C-alpha cells in the first residue's frame, strides 16, 4: 500500500472498536501517525500494540469526548506527541432506538452528547491545528471526516432522536465545509448504512429483536473495514479533490 500520509498525524474518536479501530489501522497503513481516542483504555492499548507491530505509530488517549475539557486535552496530547494534526475523523457514535414518546430521556441525552456534543468539542479543539497543517504541512491540506449515517438522510419510525443527531451532523458538516473551504481544510461526511459493529448493542433487547436483528438478517451487511476504506479514499485524494459526501451502502440482498 502506498504511504500517502507519511509525515502526517490523524486523530480518530471512538477508536476502541468497529469503524474507529478499522479506520485507525487503515490510516496507519497509509503512513499517518494516529491518536486513538476513546474511553476503553485496554482496547486502545491492544490496538496501539497491533499498529506498532505492523510498523506504524499510535498514541493512546483515554478520554470521554462528551466532556469538553477532556476532548480539548485529547487533541492537545496528539499535537504535543506528533507536533501537528492533519486529519480528524469524528467517528464516536451511539445508536439508541425507540419511540420518542415514553422512551428513556436519559438515553436520548446520552446519545445526543456522544453524537453531537462530542463531535463539536473535538472539531473546535482540532480546527486551529488543522488550519495550520493546511498552510504549513507536507501535503498543504487537512481533512475532517465526520462519520454520520444514512439515518442523516432518511427517517424511519423509531429512529426519531437518532435521526435528529445524524441530520444535525450532516448539516454541521456542510456549514463547516463552506466556512473553511478556501483555507484548504476539506470537510466531508461519510454516511454508512448496514454495518456490523457494536453501535446498536446498547439498545434494549426488545428493540434489538424488533428493529435491528431483522435488518441484519435480510441484508448483506458491510464490515467496518469497508467504511475505513471510504475514509482513506476521502483523505488520500489529491490536494484539490474533496469529497463532500460519501454514501456506503450494502448492495446485495440475501
Amino acid at each position: 500500500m502506498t504511504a500517502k500520509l507519511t509525515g502526517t498525524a490523524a486523530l480518530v474518536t471512538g477508536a476502541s472498536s468497529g469503524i474507529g479501530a478499522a479506520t485507525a489501522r487503515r490510516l496507519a497503513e497509509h503512513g499517518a501517525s494516529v491518536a486513538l481516542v476513546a474511553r476503553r483504555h485496554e482496547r486502545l492499548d491492544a490496538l496501539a500494540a497491533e499498529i506498532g507491530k505492523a510498523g506504524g505509530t499510535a498514541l493512546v488517549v483515554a478520554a470521554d469526548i462528551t466532556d469538553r475539557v477532556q476532548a480539548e486535552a485529547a487533541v492537545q496530547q496528539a499535537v504535543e506527541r506528533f507536533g501537528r494534526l492533519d486529519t480528524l475523523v469524528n467517528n464516536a457514535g451511539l445508536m439508541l432506538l425507540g419511540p420518542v414518546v415514553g422512551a428513556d430521556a436519559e438515553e436520548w441525552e446520552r446519545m445526543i452528547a456522544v453524537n453531537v456534543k462530542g463531535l463539536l468539542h473535538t472539531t473546535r479543539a482540532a480546527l486551529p491545528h488543522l488550519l495550520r497543517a493546511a498552510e504549513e504541512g507536507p501535503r498543504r491540506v487537512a481533512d475532517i471526516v465526520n462519520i454520520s449515517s444514512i439515518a442523516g438522510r432518511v427517517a424511519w419510525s423509531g429512529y426519531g432522536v437518532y435521526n435528529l443527531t445524524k441530520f444535525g451532523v450532516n448539516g454541521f458538516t456542510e456549514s463547516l465545509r463552506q466556512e473553511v473551504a478556501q483555507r484548504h481544510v476539506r470537510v466531508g461526511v461519510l454516511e454508512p448504512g448496514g454495518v456490523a459493529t457494536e453501535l446498536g448493542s446498547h439498545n434494549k433487547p426488545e428493540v434489538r429483536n424488533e428493529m435491528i436483528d431483522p435488518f441484519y438478517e435480510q441484508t448483506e451487511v458491510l464490515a467496518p473495514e469497508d467504511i475505513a476504506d471510504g475514509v482513506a479514499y476521502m483523505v488520500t485524494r489529491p490536494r484539490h479533490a474533496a469529497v463532500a459526501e460519501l454514501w456506503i451502502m450494502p448492495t446485495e440482498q440475501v
Side-chain angles (χ1 to χ4, degrees):
M1 180 178 292
T2 305
K4 296 182 178 180
L5 301 179
T6 298
T8 71
L11 185 150
V12 181
T13 67
S16 60
S17 65
I19 293 171
T23 297
R25 293 188 193 98
R26 193 69 79 245
L27 295 179
E29 289 171 1
H30 278 285
S33 299
V34 186
L36 313 172
V37 180
R39 292 182 300 174
R40 293 179 286 190
H41 200 294
E42 298 80 5
R43 289 194 178 192
L44 295 180
D45 286 339
L47 178 59
E50 178 186 340
I51 290 173
K53 187 175 181 180
T57 301
L59 168 69
V60 170
V61 184
D64 180 355
I65 62 167
T66 66
D67 182 301
R68 180 179 57 82
V69 173
Q70 291 190 47
E72 292 174 349
V75 171
Q76 189 58 36
Q77 285 184 53
V79 173
E80 289 177 355
R81 169 67 182 277
F82 301 134
R84 59 183 309 99
L85 185 62
D86 304 85
T87 301
L88 170 65
V89 181
N90 283 309
N91 164 75
L94 188 61
M95 182 177 72
L96 296 170
L97 306 180
V100 173
V101 178
D104 187 342
E106 291 186 359
E107 287 191 343
W108 300 152
E109 290 175 2
R110 183 158 58 102
M111 182 165 58
I112 291 169
V114 174
N115 295 0
V116 179
K117 290 183 178 180
L119 180 146
L120 180 59
H121 292 332
T122 55
T123 301
R124 283 172 54 88
L127 192 54
H129 305 287
L130 296 167
L131 289 167
R132 190 173 304 116
E135 292 178 357
E136 306 171 359
R139 304 182 71 231
R140 298 298 298 276
V141 69
D143 286 282
I144 298 173
V145 179
N146 293 331
I147 308 297
S148 181
S149 167
I150 193 62
R153 298 292 174 186
V154 182
W156 298 282
S157 175
Y159 280 69
V161 180
Y162 184 64
N163 282 134
L164 170 68
T165 65
K166 294 306 182 178
F167 272 74
V169 167
N170 288 3
F172 173 78
T173 302
E174 176 58 22
S175 177
L176 181 61
R177 185 185 69 80
Q178 296 180 34
E179 185 177 327
V180 300
Q182 300 305 313
R183 302 186 67 179
H184 298 292
V185 175
R186 303 181 298 192
V187 183
V189 61
L190 193 157
E191 298 164 83
V195 187
T197 72
E198 297 179 12
L199 185 65
S201 64
H202 301 283
N203 283 278
K204 296 175 181 177
E206 58 270 25
V207 172
R208 293 199 301 271
N209 293 338
E210 295 177 10
M211 301 182 65
I212 298 175
D213 292 345
F215 174 82
Y216 286 135
E217 291 170 0
Q218 299 172 18
T219 307
E220 188 74 21
V221 297
L222 298 162
E225 290 73 19
D226 296 320
I227 313 307
D229 288 341
V231 174
Y233 170 77
M234 296 173 75
V235 172
T236 60
R237 286 176 65 81
R239 178 172 181 255
H240 295 290
V243 181
E245 181 181 3
L246 179 63
W247 289 20
I248 302 182
M249 297 292 296
T251 58
E252 181 180 348
Q253 297 291 321
V254 295

